[in-house]
Amino acid sequence: DYQINTHKLIIYSTTLRSNQPVPQIIIQGKWVEKWGFSIGCSVRIECYQNKLVILLENDTNESINLWKTKIWK
C-alpha cells in the first residue's frame, strides 16, 4: 500500500558563526512520527535538483542509544 501525504513548509534563515545567512528547514509535528521518524532515529538525505528525499537508516536502535547518551550526559 503506497500513500503520499504532502506538507508545505517554509524555508527559514539561520546565521552561521561567520554571520553568513544559510537556509534552514524545520520538520516537526506528530505527522513526522506517524510516518516512522521517531525521536533519535537516524536519517539519510538524498539531494537532487529541487528535491530532498529523507530516508530512515537501518541502524535505528544504535542511533537512539547515541542520542540518549548525548542528551543525558
Side-chain angles (χ1 to χ4, degrees), residues 13-46:
S13 175
T14 190
T15 306
L16 299 176
R17 290 182 186 171
S18 63
N19 290 326
Q20 178 184 2
V22 293
Q24 178 184 50
I25 300 172
I26 301 171
I27 302 173
Q28 64 184 20
K30 297 277 185 191
W31 64 272
V32 177
E33 189 169 38
K34 175 186 173 189
W35 291 99
F37 296 86
S38 302
I39 294 170
C41 70
S42 180
V43 297
R44 182 178 78 246
I45 301 175
E46 294 180 356

mmCIF file of all heavy atoms in Angstrom, residues 13-46:
data_model
loop_
_atom_site.group_PDB
_atom_site.id
_atom_site.type_symbol
_atom_site.label_atom_id
_atom_site.label_comp_id
_atom_site.label_asym_id
_atom_site.label_seq_id
_atom_site.Cartn_x
_atom_site.Cartn_y
_atom_site.Cartn_z
ATOM 1 N N SER A 13 15.737 31.232 7.585
ATOM 2 C CA SER A 13 17.147 31.612 7.538
ATOM 3 C C SER A 13 17.731 31.474 8.933
ATOM 4 O O SER A 13 17.072 31.779 9.928
ATOM 5 C CB SER A 13 17.267 33.066 7.073
ATOM 6 O OG SER A 13 18.607 33.488 7.138
ATOM 7 N N THR A 14 18.947 30.985 9.009
ATOM 8 C CA THR A 14 19.696 30.973 10.256
ATOM 9 C C THR A 14 21.072 31.527 9.937
ATOM 10 O O THR A 14 21.438 31.663 8.772
ATOM 11 C CB THR A 14 19.773 29.560 10.877
ATOM 12 O OG1 THR A 14 20.306 29.658 12.193
ATOM 13 C CG2 THR A 14 20.605 28.616 10.039
ATOM 14 N N THR A 15 21.825 31.865 10.953
ATOM 15 C CA THR A 15 23.124 32.502 10.735
ATOM 16 C C THR A 15 24.241 31.629 11.271
ATOM 17 O O THR A 15 24.149 31.109 12.385
ATOM 18 C CB THR A 15 23.162 33.874 11.430
ATOM 19 O OG1 THR A 15 22.044 34.644 10.979
ATOM 20 C CG2 THR A 15 24.429 34.623 11.097
ATOM 21 N N LEU A 16 25.279 31.458 10.465
ATOM 22 C CA LEU A 16 26.465 30.725 10.888
ATOM 23 C C LEU A 16 27.320 31.599 11.795
ATOM 24 O O LEU A 16 27.078 32.805 11.920
ATOM 25 C CB LEU A 16 27.276 30.299 9.666
ATOM 26 C CG LEU A 16 26.587 29.368 8.669
ATOM 27 C CD1 LEU A 16 27.493 29.132 7.471
ATOM 28 C CD2 LEU A 16 26.226 28.055 9.327
ATOM 29 N N ARG A 17 28.330 31.012 12.410
ATOM 30 C CA ARG A 17 29.246 31.785 13.269
ATOM 31 C C ARG A 17 29.913 32.916 12.501
ATOM 32 O O ARG A 17 30.292 33.923 13.067
ATOM 33 C CB ARG A 17 30.304 30.871 13.872
ATOM 34 C CG ARG A 17 29.725 29.929 14.894
ATOM 35 C CD ARG A 17 30.792 29.082 15.513
ATOM 36 N NE ARG A 17 30.165 28.096 16.389
ATOM 37 C CZ ARG A 17 30.811 27.113 16.945
ATOM 38 N NH1 ARG A 17 32.098 26.946 16.717
ATOM 39 N NH2 ARG A 17 30.175 26.273 17.719
ATOM 40 N N SER A 18 30.033 32.741 11.194
ATOM 41 C CA SER A 18 30.651 33.770 10.352
ATOM 42 C C SER A 18 29.655 34.867 9.980
ATOM 43 O O SER A 18 29.952 35.721 9.155
ATOM 44 C CB SER A 18 31.195 33.129 9.073
ATOM 45 O OG SER A 18 30.117 32.578 8.322
ATOM 46 N N ASN A 19 28.481 34.841 10.602
ATOM 47 C CA ASN A 19 27.396 35.786 10.323
ATOM 48 C C ASN A 19 26.841 35.670 8.918
ATOM 49 O O ASN A 19 26.198 36.578 8.415
ATOM 50 C CB ASN A 19 27.820 37.226 10.611
ATOM 51 C CG ASN A 19 27.976 37.484 12.094
ATOM 52 O OD1 ASN A 19 27.252 36.924 12.904
ATOM 53 N ND2 ASN A 19 28.943 38.301 12.447
ATOM 54 N N GLN A 20 27.093 34.553 8.281
ATOM 55 C CA GLN A 20 26.563 34.306 6.942
ATOM 56 C C GLN A 20 25.202 33.616 7.062
ATOM 57 O O GLN A 20 25.082 32.579 7.701
ATOM 58 C CB GLN A 20 27.527 33.425 6.148
ATOM 59 C CG GLN A 20 27.025 33.080 4.775
ATOM 60 C CD GLN A 20 27.974 32.131 4.053
ATOM 61 O OE1 GLN A 20 28.982 31.702 4.593
ATOM 62 N NE2 GLN A 20 27.637 31.801 2.830
ATOM 63 N N PRO A 21 24.162 34.175 6.446
ATOM 64 C CA PRO A 21 22.856 33.512 6.487
ATOM 65 C C PRO A 21 22.831 32.274 5.592
ATOM 66 O O PRO A 21 23.420 32.265 4.513
ATOM 67 C CB PRO A 21 21.889 34.578 5.965
ATOM 68 C CG PRO A 21 22.728 35.510 5.169
ATOM 69 C CD PRO A 21 24.119 35.436 5.724
ATOM 70 N N VAL A 22 22.182 31.218 6.090
ATOM 71 C CA VAL A 22 22.033 29.978 5.325
ATOM 72 C C VAL A 22 20.588 29.504 5.464
ATOM 73 O O VAL A 22 19.924 29.790 6.453
ATOM 74 C CB VAL A 22 23.009 28.875 5.801
ATOM 75 C CG1 VAL A 22 24.446 29.252 5.508
ATOM 76 C CG2 VAL A 22 22.822 28.569 7.271
ATOM 77 N N PRO A 23 20.079 28.748 4.472
ATOM 78 C CA PRO A 23 18.721 28.240 4.568
ATOM 79 C C PRO A 23 18.584 27.172 5.657
ATOM 80 O O PRO A 23 19.525 26.432 5.928
ATOM 81 C CB PRO A 23 18.456 27.626 3.198
ATOM 82 C CG PRO A 23 19.654 27.851 2.368
ATOM 83 C CD PRO A 23 20.721 28.414 3.215
ATOM 84 N N GLN A 24 17.412 27.113 6.265
ATOM 85 C CA GLN A 24 17.130 26.148 7.325
ATOM 86 C C GLN A 24 15.729 25.596 7.109
ATOM 87 O O GLN A 24 14.775 26.354 6.928
ATOM 88 C CB GLN A 24 17.222 26.834 8.688
ATOM 89 C CG GLN A 24 16.902 25.948 9.860
ATOM 90 C CD GLN A 24 16.912 26.725 11.167
ATOM 91 O OE1 GLN A 24 16.286 27.766 11.275
ATOM 92 N NE2 GLN A 24 17.635 26.214 12.145
ATOM 93 N N ILE A 25 15.600 24.269 7.153
ATOM 94 C CA ILE A 25 14.306 23.612 7.043
ATOM 95 C C ILE A 25 14.008 22.929 8.372
ATOM 96 O O ILE A 25 14.796 22.119 8.849
ATOM 97 C CB ILE A 25 14.296 22.567 5.907
ATOM 98 C CG1 ILE A 25 14.609 23.237 4.576
ATOM 99 C CG2 ILE A 25 12.962 21.837 5.862
ATOM 100 C CD1 ILE A 25 14.801 22.268 3.428
ATOM 101 N N ILE A 26 12.867 23.252 8.960
ATOM 102 C CA ILE A 26 12.460 22.652 10.229
ATOM 103 C C ILE A 26 11.276 21.729 9.954
ATOM 104 O O ILE A 26 10.236 22.175 9.480
ATOM 105 C CB ILE A 26 12.071 23.732 11.261
ATOM 106 C CG1 ILE A 26 13.258 24.654 11.512
ATOM 107 C CG2 ILE A 26 11.568 23.084 12.554
ATOM 108 C CD1 ILE A 26 12.926 25.876 12.337
ATOM 109 N N ILE A 27 11.476 20.455 10.248
ATOM 110 C CA ILE A 27 10.414 19.465 10.066
ATOM 111 C C ILE A 27 10.017 18.976 11.447
ATOM 112 O O ILE A 27 10.806 18.353 12.143
ATOM 113 C CB ILE A 27 10.897 18.291 9.189
ATOM 114 C CG1 ILE A 27 11.356 18.818 7.834
ATOM 115 C CG2 ILE A 27 9.812 17.250 9.043
ATOM 116 C CD1 ILE A 27 11.995 17.763 6.965
ATOM 117 N N GLN A 28 8.784 19.274 11.847
ATOM 118 C CA GLN A 28 8.338 18.891 13.179
ATOM 119 C C GLN A 28 6.843 18.660 13.183
ATOM 120 O O GLN A 28 6.131 19.141 12.311
ATOM 121 C CB GLN A 28 8.700 19.958 14.202
ATOM 122 C CG GLN A 28 8.018 21.287 13.965
ATOM 123 C CD GLN A 28 8.462 22.352 14.943
ATOM 124 O OE1 GLN A 28 9.513 22.253 15.557
ATOM 125 N NE2 GLN A 28 7.665 23.382 15.090
ATOM 126 N N GLY A 29 6.392 17.889 14.135
ATOM 127 C CA GLY A 29 4.962 17.627 14.281
ATOM 128 C C GLY A 29 4.682 16.150 14.486
ATOM 129 O O GLY A 29 5.530 15.295 14.237
ATOM 130 N N LYS A 30 3.493 15.876 14.946
ATOM 131 C CA LYS A 30 3.076 14.488 15.188
ATOM 132 C C LYS A 30 3.111 13.671 13.896
ATOM 133 O O LYS A 30 3.355 12.477 13.920
ATOM 134 C CB LYS A 30 1.665 14.449 15.787
ATOM 135 C CG LYS A 30 1.547 15.107 17.131
ATOM 136 C CD LYS A 30 1.967 14.170 18.207
ATOM 137 C CE LYS A 30 1.724 14.800 19.575
ATOM 138 N NZ LYS A 30 2.337 14.057 20.626
ATOM 139 N N TRP A 31 2.882 14.309 12.753
ATOM 140 C CA TRP A 31 2.871 13.603 11.477
ATOM 141 C C TRP A 31 4.234 13.017 11.149
ATOM 142 O O TRP A 31 4.321 12.000 10.469
ATOM 143 C CB TRP A 31 2.380 14.519 10.353
ATOM 144 C CG TRP A 31 3.251 15.702 10.080
ATOM 145 C CD1 TRP A 31 3.189 16.929 10.676
ATOM 146 C CD2 TRP A 31 4.314 15.778 9.137
ATOM 147 N NE1 TRP A 31 4.149 17.767 10.173
ATOM 148 C CE2 TRP A 31 4.866 17.076 9.213
ATOM 149 C CE3 TRP A 31 4.869 14.886 8.238
ATOM 150 C CZ2 TRP A 31 5.928 17.496 8.425
ATOM 151 C CZ3 TRP A 31 5.929 15.315 7.451
ATOM 152 C CH2 TRP A 31 6.439 16.602 7.546
ATOM 153 N N VAL A 32 5.317 13.628 11.646
ATOM 154 C CA VAL A 32 6.668 13.109 11.392
ATOM 155 C C VAL A 32 6.799 11.711 11.997
ATOM 156 O O VAL A 32 7.263 10.780 11.345
ATOM 157 C CB VAL A 32 7.743 14.068 11.953
ATOM 158 C CG1 VAL A 32 9.133 13.509 11.758
ATOM 159 C CG2 VAL A 32 7.625 15.449 11.304
ATOM 160 N N GLU A 33 6.369 11.560 13.233
ATOM 161 C CA GLU A 33 6.428 10.255 13.896
ATOM 162 C C GLU A 33 5.435 9.268 13.273
ATOM 163 O O GLU A 33 5.726 8.081 13.150
ATOM 164 C CB GLU A 33 6.151 10.401 15.393
ATOM 165 C CG GLU A 33 6.400 9.132 16.168
ATOM 166 C CD GLU A 33 6.382 9.347 17.661
ATOM 167 O OE1 GLU A 33 5.554 10.148 18.149
ATOM 168 O OE2 GLU A 33 7.199 8.713 18.340
ATOM 169 N N LYS A 34 4.283 9.781 12.853
ATOM 170 C CA LYS A 34 3.288 8.920 12.208
ATOM 171 C C LYS A 34 3.887 8.196 11.003
ATOM 172 O O LYS A 34 3.545 7.047 10.722
ATOM 173 C CB LYS A 34 2.086 9.752 11.767
ATOM 174 C CG LYS A 34 1.062 8.979 10.988
ATOM 175 C CD LYS A 34 -0.030 9.883 10.441
ATOM 176 C CE LYS A 34 -0.942 9.087 9.532
ATOM 177 N NZ LYS A 34 -1.872 9.930 8.808
ATOM 178 N N TRP A 35 4.794 8.840 10.307
ATOM 179 C CA TRP A 35 5.400 8.262 9.114
ATOM 180 C C TRP A 35 6.691 7.514 9.413
ATOM 181 O O TRP A 35 7.456 7.178 8.523
ATOM 182 C CB TRP A 35 5.601 9.342 8.052
ATOM 183 C CG TRP A 35 4.268 9.791 7.532
ATOM 184 C CD1 TRP A 35 3.573 10.910 7.899
ATOM 185 C CD2 TRP A 35 3.438 9.089 6.625
ATOM 186 N NE1 TRP A 35 2.365 10.949 7.262
ATOM 187 C CE2 TRP A 35 2.248 9.834 6.465
ATOM 188 C CE3 TRP A 35 3.564 7.896 5.926
ATOM 189 C CZ2 TRP A 35 1.219 9.430 5.638
ATOM 190 C CZ3 TRP A 35 2.524 7.511 5.097
ATOM 191 C CH2 TRP A 35 1.365 8.272 4.964
ATOM 192 N N GLY A 36 6.973 7.249 10.716
ATOM 193 C CA GLY A 36 8.078 6.369 11.077
ATOM 194 C C GLY A 36 9.355 7.046 11.515
ATOM 195 O O GLY A 36 10.354 6.381 11.768
ATOM 196 N N PHE A 37 9.337 8.380 11.644
ATOM 197 C CA PHE A 37 10.537 9.111 12.038
ATOM 198 C C PHE A 37 10.438 9.487 13.510
ATOM 199 O O PHE A 37 9.912 10.537 13.866
ATOM 200 C CB PHE A 37 10.704 10.364 11.170
ATOM 201 C CG PHE A 37 10.927 10.044 9.720
ATOM 202 C CD1 PHE A 37 9.859 9.841 8.860
ATOM 203 C CD2 PHE A 37 12.209 9.936 9.216
ATOM 204 C CE1 PHE A 37 10.053 9.541 7.522
ATOM 205 C CE2 PHE A 37 12.421 9.635 7.874
ATOM 206 C CZ PHE A 37 11.346 9.433 7.032
ATOM 207 N N SER A 38 10.953 8.601 14.372
ATOM 208 C CA SER A 38 10.886 8.800 15.819
ATOM 209 C C SER A 38 12.061 9.646 16.298
ATOM 210 O O SER A 38 13.088 9.752 15.627
ATOM 211 C CB SER A 38 10.935 7.444 16.532
ATOM 212 O OG SER A 38 9.874 6.627 16.099
ATOM 213 N N ILE A 39 11.906 10.205 17.482
ATOM 214 C CA ILE A 39 12.989 10.982 18.093
ATOM 215 C C ILE A 39 14.222 10.106 18.231
ATOM 216 O O ILE A 39 14.149 8.981 18.707
ATOM 217 C CB ILE A 39 12.554 11.513 19.474
ATOM 218 C CG1 ILE A 39 11.420 12.515 19.309
ATOM 219 C CG2 ILE A 39 13.735 12.125 20.220
ATOM 220 C CD1 ILE A 39 10.765 12.918 20.611
ATOM 221 N N GLY A 40 15.354 10.608 17.785
ATOM 222 C CA GLY A 40 16.613 9.899 17.903
ATOM 223 C C GLY A 40 16.936 8.969 16.751
ATOM 224 O O GLY A 40 18.037 8.431 16.698
ATOM 225 N N CYS A 41 16.016 8.778 15.816
ATOM 226 C CA CYS A 41 16.324 7.876 14.705
ATOM 227 C C CYS A 41 17.310 8.536 13.750
ATOM 228 O O CYS A 41 17.447 9.759 13.700
ATOM 229 C CB CYS A 41 15.056 7.431 13.976
ATOM 230 S SG CYS A 41 14.250 8.694 13.027
ATOM 231 N N SER A 42 17.992 7.728 13.002
ATOM 232 C CA SER A 42 18.996 8.207 12.060
ATOM 233 C C SER A 42 18.384 8.274 10.664
ATOM 234 O O SER A 42 17.664 7.363 10.256
ATOM 235 C CB SER A 42 20.185 7.234 12.074
ATOM 236 O OG SER A 42 21.165 7.661 11.171
ATOM 237 N N VAL A 43 18.651 9.371 9.961
ATOM 238 C CA VAL A 43 18.123 9.531 8.609
ATOM 239 C C VAL A 43 19.257 9.822 7.628
ATOM 240 O O VAL A 43 20.335 10.250 8.016
ATOM 241 C CB VAL A 43 17.076 10.666 8.525
ATOM 242 C CG1 VAL A 43 15.865 10.357 9.382
ATOM 243 C CG2 VAL A 43 17.672 12.005 8.891
ATOM 244 N N ARG A 44 18.959 9.548 6.379
ATOM 245 C CA ARG A 44 19.867 9.877 5.281
ATOM 246 C C ARG A 44 19.091 10.802 4.350
ATOM 247 O O ARG A 44 17.917 10.569 4.069
ATOM 248 C CB ARG A 44 20.285 8.599 4.546
ATOM 249 C CG ARG A 44 21.255 8.836 3.417
ATOM 250 C CD ARG A 44 21.694 7.536 2.741
ATOM 251 N NE ARG A 44 20.657 7.045 1.825
ATOM 252 C CZ ARG A 44 19.974 5.927 1.976
ATOM 253 N NH1 ARG A 44 20.181 5.159 3.025
ATOM 254 N NH2 ARG A 44 19.065 5.550 1.100
ATOM 255 N N ILE A 45 19.722 11.860 3.891
ATOM 256 C CA ILE A 45 19.069 12.792 2.979
ATOM 257 C C ILE A 45 19.741 12.687 1.617
ATOM 258 O O ILE A 45 20.947 12.891 1.495
ATOM 259 C CB ILE A 45 19.141 14.235 3.505
ATOM 260 C CG1 ILE A 45 18.464 14.314 4.872
ATOM 261 C CG2 ILE A 45 18.491 15.192 2.504
ATOM 262 C CD1 ILE A 45 18.568 15.653 5.547
ATOM 263 N N GLU A 46 18.950 12.329 0.616
ATOM 264 C CA GLU A 46 19.429 12.290 -0.761
ATOM 265 C C GLU A 46 19.046 13.611 -1.406
ATOM 266 O O GLU A 46 17.902 14.062 -1.301
ATOM 267 C CB GLU A 46 18.797 11.122 -1.519
ATOM 268 C CG GLU A 46 19.236 9.773 -0.992
ATOM 269 C CD GLU A 46 18.613 8.614 -1.748
ATOM 270 O OE1 GLU A 46 17.770 8.847 -2.653
ATOM 271 O OE2 GLU A 46 18.959 7.467 -1.430
#
